[in-house]
């Protein structure tokens, strides 16, 4: 079975997902009136930046041998795909949950985003192929963040 994405393409999607998270949390912090919520949004933004940077480092390793990455249509497709995987409701989704000033709602939104990302990469992993190790690495990063966010939510809820 042919793999749906090359390793570099999969990492490009991962980077786009993290960029969307960075932007969403940055914008949400501007809309919040709660200092506590603003600090949480900034923390989540920093977490997404760290993930983006890690995935970018991996991308540099894999991108050297992938000529499809330099095709405009491929890049547009990968970006559009990333927009549908995680944070697809964006700020509207956070606002709908009352999350701009509510730390528990913010954390639930972040947890949902991590789960969506894990589900996507687990589906890619099920296809097998030579990228299985890469998908496992991405999944482990996202699971680690999911565990951290879940613990934060438990503490928030008391």
């Amino acid at each position: 079975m042919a793999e749906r994405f090359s390793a570099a393409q999969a990492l490009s999607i991962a980077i786009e997902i993290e960029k969307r998270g960075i932007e969403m949390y940055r914008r949400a912090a501007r809309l919040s009136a709660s200092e506590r919520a603003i600090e949480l949004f900034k923390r989540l933004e920093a977490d997404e930046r760290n993930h983006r940077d890690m995935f970018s480092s991996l991308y540099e390793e894999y991108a050297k041998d992938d000529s499809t990455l330099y095709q405009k249509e491929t890049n547009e497709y990968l970006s559009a795909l990333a927009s549908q995987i995680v944070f697809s409701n964006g700020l509207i989704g956070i606002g709908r949950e009352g999350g701009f000033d509510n730390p528990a709602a913010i954390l639930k939104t972040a947890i949902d985003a991590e789960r969506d990302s894990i589900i996507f990469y687990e589906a890619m992993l099920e296809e097998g192929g030579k990228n299985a190790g890469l998908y496992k690495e991405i999944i482990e990063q996202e699971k680690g963040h999911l565990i951290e966010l879940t613990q934060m939510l438990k503490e928030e809820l008391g």
Side-chain angles (χ1 to χ4, degrees), residues 109-121:
T109 298
I111 287 168
D112 288 345
E114 294 300 325
R115 281 190 187 131
D116 289 345
S117 181
I118 291 167
I119 289 168
F120 172 74
Y121 287 107

Side-chain angles (χ1 to χ4, degrees), residues 2-158:
E3 290 186 287
R4 193 178 307 185
F5 303 108
S6 69
Q9 289 171 332
L11 285 163
S12 182
I13 293 168
I15 292 165
E16 283 298 316
I17 289 170
E18 301 303 327
K19 285 179 180 178
R20 287 180 55 78
I22 291 165
E23 186 62 20
M24 188 185 74
Y25 293 135
R26 186 181 61 75
R27 288 181 177 177
R30 286 190 205 158
L31 296 171
S32 179
S34 163
E35 196 59 43
R36 191 158 164 242
I38 291 168
E39 289 305 314
L40 181 54
F41 282 127
K42 287 180 179 180
R43 158 96 189 265
L44 294 170
E45 179 185 348
D47 290 347
E48 298 301 304
R49 281 185 196 285
N50 289 337
H51 286 155
R52 182 206 55 201
D53 293 347
M54 188 205 60
F55 294 148
S56 292
S57 293
L58 287 170
Y59 174 86
E60 293 303 319
E61 292 176 33
Y62 287 97
K64 296 179 250 183
D65 302 321
D66 194 338
S67 62
T68 65
L69 295 173
Y70 304 104
Q71 298 171 2
K72 182 180 179 196
E73 295 82 15
T74 301
N75 291 335
E76 289 172 354
Y77 169 72
L78 295 174
S79 182
L81 181 62
S83 73
Q84 296 303 310
I85 296 168
V86 179
F87 304 117
S88 58
N89 291 328
L91 292 174
I92 294 170
I94 294 176
R96 196 175 311 140
E97 298 295 322
F100 291 118
D101 297 321
N102 181 336
I106 294 166
L107 288 166
K108 287 176 185 177
T109 298
I111 287 168
D112 288 345
E114 294 300 325
R115 281 190 187 131
D116 289 345
S117 181
I118 291 167
I119 289 168
F120 172 74
Y121 287 107
E122 284 179 341
M124 295 296 97
L125 179 61
E126 286 179 16
E127 291 182 5
K130 63 183 179 182
N131 293 332
L134 174 63
Y135 293 135
K136 286 179 184 177
E137 187 172 348
I138 294 170
I139 290 166
E140 288 308 308
Q141 286 294 320
E142 300 299 347
K143 281 184 176 178
H145 198 212
L146 176 63
I147 290 167
E148 182 182 339
L149 293 170
T150 301
Q151 183 59 38
M152 290 170 66
L153 179 61
K154 284 180 185 175
E155 292 170 8
E156 182 64 35
L157 295 175

